[in-house]
Amino acid sequence: MTPSPDTAVPTVEELEAQERRLVFRRFTHDDAWALGSLLVELARERQAPVAIDIHRAGQQLFHAALPGSTPDNDAWIARKRRVVERYGSASYLVGSRFRAKGTTFEESSRLDPDTYAAHGGSFPLTVAGVGVVGAVTVSGLPQVEDHRLVVEALERFLGE
């Protein structure tokens, strides 16, 4: 896997700006298939050993496990997605907010770390005028790279 040329860790402000920008007009089953397929294409180009998941309103609309991914990736996906569902923000942003306060999600959230993981890779699917309707999640790379892969796919999908 080729490392990203941008190794800087995004700030809380940059992560919040991503969420404000990456908003859908609608999000359908077909959109989930197209976004998931785009993520598979990007991951294959990089030979990334990831699993990819898209949920909307409690229903799994897309899932793919690429070569090199493991069942652990599915467990990470579920834990990261639950953070998005609970906080309405990207899993990486939630973890970053805790770190910015000088603590960690695990120490301060009072949530079971076997159920929730504020690690990068799950991003809210936000529909304008509606709010968060689901999450798109990637697992298999270092957390900032999982996050960046999802953001890159969303930017391309939304034409940014």
Side-chain angles (χ1 to χ4, degrees):
M1 159 111 193
T2 306
S4 168
D6 178 12
T7 57
V9 174
T11 65
V12 168
E13 293 75 21
E14 290 167 333
L15 295 167
E16 289 172 342
Q18 288 172 348
E19 287 192 1
R20 285 190 300 273
R21 251 184 335 103
L22 300 172
V23 174
F24 293 82
R25 285 183 292 122
R26 61 175 172 64
F27 193 80
T28 67
H29 286 74
D30 289 338
D31 293 325
W33 178 260
L35 177 59
S37 298
L38 174 59
L39 272 162
V40 167
E41 178 184 327
L42 293 172
R44 284 191 189 280
E45 286 172 4
R46 296 169 175 132
Q47 299 178 340
V50 297
I52 300 161
D53 181 89
I54 299 176
H55 266 70
R56 186 192 68 188
Q59 181 183 19
Q60 184 178 52
L61 300 183
F62 185 92
H63 184 84
L66 299 184
S69 65
T70 70
D72 276 349
N73 297 123
D74 292 330
W76 276 98
I77 282 171
R79 293 167 57 215
K80 293 190 278 189
R81 186 187 73 246
R82 285 186 198 106
V83 168
V84 172
E85 291 167 348
R86 185 176 186 107
Y87 288 85
S89 290
S91 55
Y92 193 66
L93 173 56
V94 172
S96 294
R97 285 176 173 153
F98 279 92
R99 287 187 293 279
K101 293 177 185 173
T103 186
T104 67
F105 177 81
E106 294 77 11
E107 291 170 354
S108 298
S109 71
R110 302 184 57 120
L111 296 172
D112 182 353
D114 290 333
T115 305
Y116 296 90
H119 292 256
S122 192
F123 201 93
L125 295 170
T126 304
V127 174
V130 177
V132 176
V133 299
V136 53
T137 311
V138 168
S139 175
L141 302 171
Q143 67 170 328
V144 72
E145 292 301 315
D146 278 347
H147 177 82
R148 283 192 181 116
L149 183 58
V150 171
V151 168
E152 180 182 345
L154 288 168
E155 288 171 343
R156 287 190 189 194
F157 188 85
L158 293 168
E160 299 217 358

